Amino acid sequence: MEMLLSTKGITICLFFFVLSLAAAIEIPLSVSQLPTITEQSHTQVAYPFDEDFTIKCEARGNPQPTFNWTKDGKPFDLSSDPRIVTSNNSGTFVIQNRGIISNFQGKYRCFASNVLGTAMSEEIELIVPSVPKFPKEKIEPLDVEHGDSVILHCNPPKGIPPLHIYWMNIDLQHIPQDERVSMSLKGDLYFANVEESDSRSDYCCFAAFPRLRTIVQKMPMTLKVSRSNFIKERKPKLLIPPESAGSSSSVTVIKGGVLLLECIAEGLPTPHLSWVKVTGNMPKDEPETENFGKTLKIDQVTAADEGTYQCTASNPMGRARHEFHVRVEEPPQWLKKPEGGVYSVGTNLVLLCEAIGNPEPSIQWKLNGMPIDGRTFRGRISTREISLTNLQLQDSAVFQCEATNKHGTILASANINVLNIAPLILTPDGENYATVVGYSAFLHCDIFASPAADVRWTKDDSIEPLSAFRYELNKNGTLEIRDTKKEDSGSYACWAANSVGKRAITANLDIRDATKLVVTPKNPRVLKSHSILLKCQAEYDSHLKHSFKLSWRKDGDELPVNGTEGGRIILDRDTLFISSVLLEDQGVYRCVASTALDTAEAEAQLIVLDVPDPPEDLQLSENQNRSVRLSWKAGASHNSPVNESIIEFEENHWEPEMWQELIRVPGNDTTALLPLAPYVNYQFRVVSVNAVGRSQPSKPSLRYATPPAAPDKNPENIRVEASEPNEMVMKWEPLKPMERNGPGLEYKVSWRQRGVETDWNEELVKKHSLSVRNVPTFVPYEIKVQAVNNLGSGPEPNITIGYSGEDVPDAAPSGVSVEVVNSTLVKVFWFGIPRDRVRGHLRGYKVSWWKTRSMLDGKRHHPEKHFLTFVGDRNYGMIPGLEPFSEFRLTVSAFNSRGDGPESSPVVFETPEGVPEQPRFLRILNFDKDSVTLSWGLPKKANGHLTGYILQYQIINETHEVGTVSNVSVANRSALSWRLAGLSPSTKYKFYIKACTAKGCGKAATEEGLTLAQGSKGSGRISDAVKPTPKFQPSEALEPGTEYTIRLVTKNWVDNNSIFEDVIETRGRAYAGIYEGISTQGWFIGLMCAIALLTLLLLTICFVRRNKGGKYSVKEKEDLHPDPEAQSIKDEIFGEYSDSDEKPLKGSLQSLNGDIKATGSADSLVDYGEGEHGMFNEDGSFIGAYSGSKEKGSVESTGSSTATFPLHA
């Protein structure tokens, strides 16, 4: 039901609840009360090795009780012996172990008394044992004859049980015992019949008392056994029980105890003992027999064990029997005990006392420790009940009920406190309570009152009692508020009242937010050996932060905070990190958060994934010649189902210990029919596969050998190879070991010439090849190879066509002609040779060519052959990379796998002019604010008659933005320098120079430079030619204190390596004399000679490295032959090649290359052959450099460079 809430104080009503709290709450010590025994001793043993013995008796009461003792029913004065030590306000006393203390043995009882009554303890027995000793006695030797019965008596001394008896000799070796010789429960040694080997003089009985830490020995006994003149065979006779006991006896055993029935007999031969229960059934648990069947033992005896038991001793001479009538008895036990309590004046009292036992116990009532006199007692008394009506304060007393039979006595006490007091609230006033939302709150109000008090609770300022379904008043006065809410916070009051008076206390209640937890990830699945991090996110009330604790549990067991297993599992506050996860890490991980008020839990199920365990218990069945069934038991899948099983085999003949895959079985199948090959001794194993991976292999199965059979297949890949003409080598792939099917494998090879009617030639071989000589050159043959073993032949083989050995072609191609495409490329045509002249498989044609002379200078060249091969049967090919403006000769030959045939007659052709190569260098010789003087070198190869140069320049800056390109045409083909005027001061320029022929202009050389600023002095001049003989040259008309750049160059500026440059600064006139004549100094001349020698050495090294070999990369060759025609073909055929040093600037590509004319070519890549260095693949794709002649002694240009202009005057 909903609760009504007011805007001011929240008042919720709860009706009065009348409680009987006096019986439920212990009487406060501040209230007058009867004595109550709180602690006492029970049976006490005074061991001789103890220093003292404590007899305890403690009691509580108001007034403080006094203590009295009785011993054996008589008063016992604790001050009567100085060895007794007592304590104030305590009944406990200590007996010091000095002197003779045996007089302290007895049964003690403690009495605690005050003005209201007397409490009495149970009896406390003090046992003072004596030190056990065997009496000193002289034991006469026993002389007996063979077969007689003998008893050696031990008669151990008395002592505290348990007692253990051992029979040993003087060397402490146990006397052997069996059916013939055994020890009774009393410790005597019985011989059913003696033998001569029993004779000895050191039969010793040892008695051990563990509680007394004592072992005592009896004097040794002597037994002499003499040989008898006759065999004393006789029927059994019982020695225990003795014959004097008759044929039956009675035995009493305590319920819950141990029943031991003993029969020992003598006779010859040695009797055998057996047991039966004559009346009733044997216990459900077969009774235990001990001492070679002579003792029947039943533990935990119950009433069902009552009855008659019979033992029978038997041998071939007869039987002897005895019956035991077993009676089960028990000491007294309570059915109803008198219950004490607090009673108010005018109430009635009934005390009950009932006990059972066997024999039935007697009941005796006592009042304050004394027997009740029915004549003076104002109430009613009977054996099982006492009653009093209209109790008064003076009726307060301690009633005792004692139940006794021969097996023991039990005592029960009942304190009857008759009180008339106002309520006492035992809970402190102003207690503060707190709980969390949703939990129950318990506000305590422990009350003691007589008569019983009425209790009520109010909230805040209201005087109305609380009442609602969420409020419950417990019997002890505690207010329980279930399913608390925030609005339950506030101040509460507990009121208690009876006819004598009333009391009240207050309590404060705070409601906190509940703790909440979330563990992430929720249910992770982790691969074994990987890591996992669990995070516990907690929310809790800020008031509880000091008591907040977090812990982790796995499957209910708490994980240690400091980590486990060498740091593999690490707990760090709210995180749990597990590295190298193991299978045993799988389980439920629970994060537990606790505060002073509540506990919260959140869990995550960690699932560890791993490869399956290896399969087990491999079994073979359904054995056949070519198959067998394999079955197995799957191993644990480790949370990832098995997808398939891989069955592997190993055979011990061809590849022992080499396991190979046989078949795969899908899903969870655990059986498979395995296909087998003949003549193999198999063993199998199984590997299971799941999403994680493969399991370890199972243990191998038993071996299974299949019988041999004829081959099932013939060799494959039959082919003919020959290294010589008139020879044929037939080869094939041999059968694998598993394909042999049996012993004695051979190959039956059959061959005959194709198209010729003749018989097959046959030969048996063991290897996998056969060589046949003296056969015609390159003739087709039909070939068959069949597998044969000791059990038969394989299937009929297929016929394979093969050819006998090849020879080189014996004819040259005819009709060779050349079509010039451009200055570097020609197309060659020819007529192929007849097929019968190939004398083998035609592999293709080889085109060879060599340069004979240059058309520019008419010089003859030493022939340096180059070649390209064209694969297949074709009649044309493209020859790229030729030198322009040259004369060549060319031949064509056919080739097969044996080699090249004869060459055709040479054909002479000439290549036209091409564009020149890049000029060797471009240098800036002189500069000014608006002009610059440029010089350049001749192109390395002109590739035709030079017609002039194109000089270009444009403004550039650091942002890569460029100006328009200006062109200057230098028509004088012998000019190697030029002065450009009209430039802007302090401006950076890039200059280009290209050489030209009638065919076009080649690649440009470049240089960059910065003009001088306005007003700066930077003019230069060229001195007259210096003859090489002088070692110095005077330079006049220089300004003092000015810096100059000096260059020394060859007259025609052909070779840039001869340029020498240095920066000097002239001095003022005052210091001119210091430097006069320096050029004539010896040290300066030596320095200059060293520099010249080093320069010459470097030039020599460069020259050697440049001329070593005669092969160039494609990029170098293109740099040396910048033919526009070749450039266009390269773009179409060879692909693009770029040089980062020569990339034109943005916006200048069209102006720089606008004069280059492209010429198209319809030839495809397949028109190009394979050079001597493997320039093309069979599909015509470019794969490397092609060879070309190189003029001897030439030096390769290093390309353009950038000159830096000094800007200071």
Side-chain angles (χ1 to χ4, degrees):
M1 62 184 266
E2 285 291 318
M3 295 180 295
L4 301 177
L5 306 178
S6 66
T7 56
K8 287 190 174 182
I10 303 176
T11 304
I12 308 171
C13 297
L14 182 67
F15 291 110
F16 278 67
F17 199 107
V18 179
L19 303 175
S20 297
L21 299 176
I25 298 179
E26 186 177 287
I27 303 174
L29 270 178
S30 60
V31 176
S32 296
Q33 57 187 284
L34 291 163
T36 302
I37 302 294
T38 57
E39 186 180 8
Q40 74 158 82
S41 297
H42 296 282
T43 300
Q44 182 84 14
V45 177
Y47 295 110
F49 42 79
D50 288 338
E51 294 183 357
D52 52 47
F53 323 108
T54 301
I55 309 298
K56 290 185 179 180
C57 180
E58 302 292 342
R60 64 188 294 271
N62 188 3
Q64 176 69 36
T66 59
F67 296 90
N68 296 293
W69 286 87
T70 62
K71 178 189 174 195
D72 298 328
K74 297 178 182 180
F76 179 71
D77 185 3
L78 298 181
S79 62
S80 61
D81 194 308
R83 291 174 293 180
I84 299 177
V85 179
T86 61
S87 302
N88 293 331
N89 298 325
S90 172
T92 300
F93 65 93
V94 178
I95 302 173
Q96 296 178 339
N97 190 1
R98 298 199 309 264
I100 299 173
I101 62 171
S102 58
N103 59 318
F104 286 112
Q105 181 166 307
K107 294 182 179 180
Y108 294 80
R109 194 185 292 271
C110 172
F111 295 86
S113 305
N114 65 11
V115 295
L116 298 178
T118 300
M120 180 177 70
S121 73
E122 296 179 2
E123 277 191 340
I124 304 170
E125 183 177 9
L126 177 62
I127 300 172
V128 183
S130 59
V131 178
K133 293 180 181 180
F134 278 105
K136 291 184 178 180
E137 58 181 333
K138 183 178 180 181
I139 303 175
E140 297 294 332
L142 288 175
D143 292 316
V144 296
E145 290 184 350
H146 184 281
D148 288 344
S149 172
V150 175
I151 302 175
L152 299 181
H153 295 283
C154 180
N155 297 325
K158 293 184 180 180
I160 299 297
L163 167 63
H164 301 298
I165 298 176
Y166 307 96
W167 282 90
M168 292 186 285
N169 60 22
I170 200 67
D171 295 326
L172 300 182
Q173 298 292 322
H174 285 274
I175 302 298
Q177 298 186 29
D178 52 23
E179 273 195 325
R180 186 179 65 86
V181 182
S182 61
M183 184 181 69
S184 69
L185 294 175
K186 292 173 58 178
D188 297 335
L189 190 63
Y190 285 79
F191 293 80
N193 50 79
V194 294
E195 299 174 352
E196 290 185 42
S197 60
D198 295 327
S199 296
R200 61 189 316 134
S201 60
D202 56 353
Y203 283 95
C204 300
C205 178
F206 291 84
F209 299 89
R211 295 177 67 183
L212 294 175
R213 306 175 191 175
T214 300
I215 298 177
V216 293
Q217 175 191 347
K218 190 171 184 173
M219 294 296 292
M221 289 176 270
T222 300
L223 177 63
K224 295 180 180 179
V225 181
S226 60
R227 184 182 299 275
S228 175
N229 293 328
F230 59 93
I231 299 176
K232 298 182 178 181
E233 287 189 344
R234 59 192 180 277
K235 69 177 183 178
K237 175 185 175 183
L238 290 176
L239 303 177
I240 296 179
E243 285 188 339
S244 59
S247 62
S248 64
S249 59
S250 296
V251 177
T252 300
V253 62
I254 302 298
K255 183 181 180 181
V258 179
L259 172 63
L260 292 171
L261 302 179
E262 184 178 35
C263 280
I264 297 179
E266 62 92 6
L268 187 68
T270 302
H272 174 73
L273 271 297
S274 61
W275 294 86
V276 294
K277 188 176 184 183
V278 178
T279 60
N281 298 321
M282 274 285 194
K284 291 182 179 179
D285 296 330
E286 188 68 23
E288 180 183 352
T289 59
E290 297 178 345
N291 197 19
F292 310 101
K294 300 174 183 181
T295 304
L296 179 70
K297 180 180 180 182
I298 300 177
D299 292 315
Q300 296 294 321
V301 172
T302 65
D305 295 321
E306 275 193 346
T308 300
Y309 294 81
Q310 184 184 79
C311 74
T312 301
S314 60
N315 68 6
M317 307 304 295
R319 288 185 175 86
R321 293 185 177 89
H322 187 86
E323 290 185 350
F324 297 90
H325 302 292
V326 177
R327 177 177 173 80
V328 179
E329 297 184 351
E330 58 180 319
Q333 292 185 2
W334 290 118
L335 288 180
K336 291 183 180 178
K337 291 196 298 183
E339 299 289 344
V342 177
Y343 294 84
S344 58
V345 174
T347 58
N348 300 324
L349 167 68
V350 175
L351 296 177
L352 301 177
C353 182
E354 294 185 21
I356 60 170
N358 189 5
E360 184 177 351
S362 61
I363 304 293
Q364 182 183 19
W365 285 97
K366 293 184 179 181
L367 179 64
N368 293 326
M370 301 299 291
I372 297 177
D373 186 354
R375 294 172 296 177
T376 60
F377 185 65
R378 78 177 187 88
R380 295 177 56 192
I381 183 171
S382 66
T383 303
R384 292 182 174 83
E385 182 179 309
I386 285 181
S387 62
L388 280 171
T389 58
N390 192 21
L391 289 173
Q392 300 300 314
L393 294 176
Q394 59 271 22
D395 290 325
S396 295
V398 180
F399 289 84
Q400 289 100 10
C401 177
E402 212 168 34
T404 305
N405 69 7
K406 66 178 182 179
H407 299 299
T409 299
I410 55 176
L411 174 69
S413 297
N415 287 16
I416 306 302
N417 289 280
V418 183
L419 300 174
N420 193 43
I421 60 174
L424 292 177
I425 300 181
L426 307 178
T427 302
D429 188 20
E431 285 282 295
N432 293 314
Y433 298 91
T435 190
V436 297
V437 174
Y439 278 58
S440 293
F442 295 90
L443 309 184
H444 299 296
C445 188
D446 294 338
I447 298 171
F448 181 81
S450 182
D454 297 328
V455 180
R456 66 172 181 168
W457 283 87
T458 60
K459 185 175 186 297
D460 294 334
D461 297 329
S462 172
I463 60 173
E464 295 295 327
L466 296 172
S467 81
F469 74 95
R470 292 193 303 114
Y471 298 89
E472 181 177 343
L473 188 61
N474 296 331
K475 290 184 178 181
N476 61 359
T478 298
L479 175 66
E480 179 183 356
I481 307 174
R482 292 188 292 268
D483 192 20
T484 55
K485 302 177 181 179
K486 281 285 189 179
E487 52 266 27
D488 290 328
S489 297
S491 178
Y492 292 79
C494 172
W495 301 83
N498 65 4
S499 58
V500 184
K502 64 180 179 178
R503 296 284 191 276
I505 61 168
T506 60
N508 299 310
L509 177 62
D510 288 323
I511 306 298
R512 309 296 189 195
D513 292 326
T515 303
K516 299 177 182 179
L517 294 179
V518 175
V519 174
T520 55
K522 180 62 176 173
N523 293 311
R525 298 169 68 88
V526 184
L527 291 177
K528 181 186 174 185
S529 302
H530 285 224
S531 301
I532 179 65
L533 178 68
L534 297 178
K535 178 80 172 177
C536 185
Q537 299 172 337
E539 294 182 8
Y540 53 90
D541 195 289
S542 59
H543 297 86
L544 304 175
K545 63 181 180 179
H546 297 296
S547 65
F548 178 79
K549 293 181 180 178
L550 204 62
S551 63
W552 288 89
R553 297 176 180 270
K554 177 183 181 290
D555 298 331
D557 298 327
E558 186 165 352
L559 296 174
V561 176
N562 294 331
T564 61
E565 301 181 29
R568 195 179 62 82
I569 301 178
I570 301 174
L571 278 69
D572 184 11
R573 295 187 295 275
D574 59 347
T575 60
L576 171 62
F577 178 73
I578 307 175
S579 62
S580 300
V581 171
L582 305 176
L583 291 175
E584 51 265 31
D585 294 328
Q586 178 168 303
V588 177
Y589 289 82
R590 185 174 285 107
C591 176
V592 181
S594 61
T595 65
L597 299 180
D598 68 340
T599 300
E601 295 183 355
E603 66 181 38
Q605 173 83 32
L606 175 61
I607 299 173
V608 180
L609 306 177
D610 194 13
V611 299
D613 284 344
E616 300 174 342
D617 193 21
L618 273 62
Q619 300 291 334
L620 297 176
S621 60
E622 302 180 19
N623 301 348
Q624 301 294 328
N625 290 347
R626 295 293 186 101
S627 67
V628 70
R629 181 168 293 279
L630 177 66
S631 303
W632 63 91
K633 291 181 180 177
S637 63
H638 298 307
N639 303 307
S640 179
V642 174
N643 299 327
E644 64 177 355
S645 296
I646 302 173
I647 301 174
E648 299 177 335
F649 74 92
E650 180 264 353
E651 52 82 25
N652 60 0
H653 181 61
W654 305 107
E655 294 178 304
E657 299 182 5
M658 177 70 70
W659 289 91
Q660 305 174 56
E661 182 176 323
L662 183 59
I663 63 170
R664 296 194 175 207
V665 178
N668 286 320
D669 290 352
T670 57
T671 182
L673 189 63
L674 308 182
L676 306 179
Y679 197 53
V680 178
N681 191 14
Y682 287 95
Q683 68 174 347
F684 307 98
R685 70 183 187 186
V686 184
V687 177
S688 296
V689 183
N690 63 8
V692 181
R694 296 166 60 121
S695 73
Q696 289 294 317
S698 68
K699 292 182 179 178
S701 69
L702 297 176
R703 286 203 173 268
Y704 181 70
T706 54
D712 293 327
K713 62 180 296 186
N714 292 314
E716 297 176 345
N717 192 20
I718 300 171
R719 60 199 182 278
V720 175
E721 297 178 1
S723 58
E724 299 293 336
N726 308 116
E727 180 186 39
M728 180 171 64
V729 180
M730 293 168 281
K731 295 185 178 181
W732 56 89
E733 293 292 335
L735 292 185
K736 298 177 182 177
M738 298 291 293
E739 298 170 343
R740 294 175 173 241
N741 286 10
L745 177 68
E746 293 181 308
Y747 300 102
K748 179 182 176 182
V749 185
S750 304
W751 71 95
R752 67 182 179 186
Q753 189 171 333
R754 187 179 185 185
V756 178
E757 292 295 332
T758 182
D759 294 333
W760 289 90
N761 300 291
E762 295 182 351
E763 188 168 339
L764 275 174
V765 296
K766 293 184 178 180
K767 56 184 181 179
H768 51 279
S769 66
L770 176 63
S771 178
V772 179
R773 298 183 180 276
N774 300 322
V775 294
T777 301
F778 198 63
V779 172
Y781 278 84
E782 295 178 343
I783 303 168
K784 298 189 296 184
V785 181
Q786 185 178 31
V788 180
N789 65 16
N790 291 349
L791 282 87
S793 302
E796 181 62 27
N798 296 325
I799 295 176
T800 302
I801 305 300
Y803 286 82
S804 57
E806 299 184 17
D807 202 350
V808 296
D810 61 358
S814 59
V816 178
S817 62
V818 176
E819 177 186 322
V820 177
V821 178
N822 56 41
S823 61
T824 62
L825 178 68
V826 298
K827 190 171 185 178
V828 182
F829 298 91
W830 62 86
F831 295 115
I833 66 175
R835 183 171 298 277
D836 59 343
R837 305 296 296 276
V838 176
R839 301 204 293 179
H841 296 287
L842 178 65
R843 301 289 298 276
Y845 290 88
K846 177 187 290 187
V847 178
S848 302
W849 73 94
W850 60 96
K851 181 179 177 181
T852 55
R853 68 186 179 91
S854 171
M855 303 293 290
L856 181 63
D857 55 13
K859 289 182 180 180
R860 291 281 176 179
H861 285 260
H862 179 72
E864 184 178 348
K865 274 196 172 184
H866 310 274
F867 67 86
L868 283 177
T869 59
F870 297 90
V871 178
D873 188 6
R874 56 188 295 169
N875 58 4
Y876 70 95
M878 304 290 289
I879 308 299
L882 301 175
E883 289 188 31
F885 211 45
S886 301
E887 180 185 85
F888 292 89
R889 295 199 176 204
L890 177 146
T891 63
V892 182
S893 61
F895 68 92
N896 59 20
S897 59
R898 286 287 296 170
D900 299 342
E903 294 182 345
S904 64
S905 299
V907 175
V908 179
F909 66 93
E910 296 178 356
T911 54
E913 284 189 79
V915 296
E917 292 185 2
Q918 176 181 319
R920 294 177 182 272
F921 63 88
L922 175 62
R923 292 288 182 266
I924 301 173
L925 292 183
N926 197 12
F927 51 87
D928 206 339
K929 60 180 179 296
D930 58 355
S931 64
V932 65
T933 301
L934 300 172
S935 69
W936 58 86
L938 292 170
K940 181 180 178 183
K941 290 187 178 180
N943 293 336
H945 297 289
L946 291 180
T947 60
Y949 296 90
I950 297 295
L951 178 62
Q952 299 172 312
Y953 61 95
Q954 62 185 152
I955 297 174
I956 62 174
N957 57 28
E958 298 301 330
T959 62
H960 301 291
E961 294 181 2
V962 299
T964 57
V965 176
S966 300
N967 295 305
V968 176
S969 178
V970 181
N972 184 1
R973 62 185 181 183
S974 61
L976 294 175
S977 64
W978 194 267
R979 183 175 182 274
L980 285 175
L983 304 180
S984 301
S986 300
T987 302
K988 191 174 184 180
Y989 284 88
K990 186 165 186 176
F991 304 96
Y992 309 86
I993 187 69
K994 295 186 289 186
C996 301
T997 64
K999 195 70 175 179
C1001 297
K1003 191 175 181 180
T1006 64
E1007 178 68 292
E1008 294 178 3
L1010 184 68
T1011 57
L1012 298 178
Q1014 186 73 31
S1016 64
K1017 296 180 180 180
S1019 60
R1021 66 185 180 84
I1022 300 174
S1023 68
D1024 295 333
V1026 179
K1027 295 182 179 179
T1029 305
K1031 294 182 172 58
F1032 64 93
Q1033 171 68 23
S1035 181
E1036 300 176 355
L1038 302 181
E1039 294 290 335
T1042 305
E1043 193 172 86
Y1044 289 90
T1045 299
I1046 305 296
R1047 281 197 182 99
L1048 178 64
V1049 299
T1050 59
K1051 186 175 182 179
N1052 293 326
W1053 304 302
V1054 174
D1055 190 353
N1056 63 318
N1057 289 324
S1058 65
I1059 296 178
F1060 172 77
E1061 178 178 328
D1062 199 0
V1063 178
I1064 64 171
E1065 182 178 354
T1066 59
R1067 300 296 181 181
R1069 297 185 182 277
Y1071 303 99
I1074 299 176
Y1075 301 100
E1076 288 180 0
I1078 189 171
S1079 60
T1080 62
Q1081 299 295 319
W1083 64 267
F1084 178 76
I1085 296 172
L1087 177 62
M1088 295 306 294
C1089 289
I1091 293 174
L1093 182 61
L1094 180 61
T1095 303
L1096 180 61
L1097 178 62
L1098 291 176
L1099 288 174
T1100 303
I1101 293 173
C1102 291
F1103 177 80
V1104 172
R1105 290 176 61 89
R1106 293 288 181 178
N1107 287 277
K1108 188 176 183 180
K1111 302 175 179 60
Y1112 294 86
S1113 68
V1114 172
K1115 180 65 180 70
E1116 292 171 336
K1117 203 161 187 69
E1118 288 177 349
D1119 290 343
L1120 297 174
H1121 301 277
D1123 187 351
E1125 297 175 349
Q1127 179 70 29
S1128 65
I1129 294 175
K1130 180 186 74 173
D1131 293 341
E1132 294 178 9
I1133 299 173
F1134 294 101
E1136 269 189 42
Y1137 296 89
S1138 63
D1139 185 352
S1140 58
D1141 293 333
E1142 303 300 336
K1143 286 182 181 177
L1145 295 169
K1146 182 189 298 182
S1148 66
L1149 181 61
Q1150 183 178 0
S1151 62
L1152 294 179
N1153 298 324
D1155 57 342
I1156 297 177
K1157 299 178 181 179
T1159 60
S1161 175
D1163 298 317
S1164 66
L1165 292 179
V1166 298
D1167 294 339
Y1168 294 85
E1170 295 181 353
E1172 55 191 352
H1173 303 290
M1175 183 175 70
F1176 296 97
N1177 283 329
E1178 292 185 4
D1179 60 356
S1181 60
F1182 178 76
I1183 64 172
Y1186 57 83
S1187 64
S1189 63
K1190 191 172 186 69
E1191 293 184 5
K1192 306 299 184 224
S1194 64
V1195 180
E1196 187 174 10
S1197 172
T1198 58
S1200 64
S1201 62
T1202 302
T1204 304
F1205 294 177
L1207 300 180
H1208 51 283

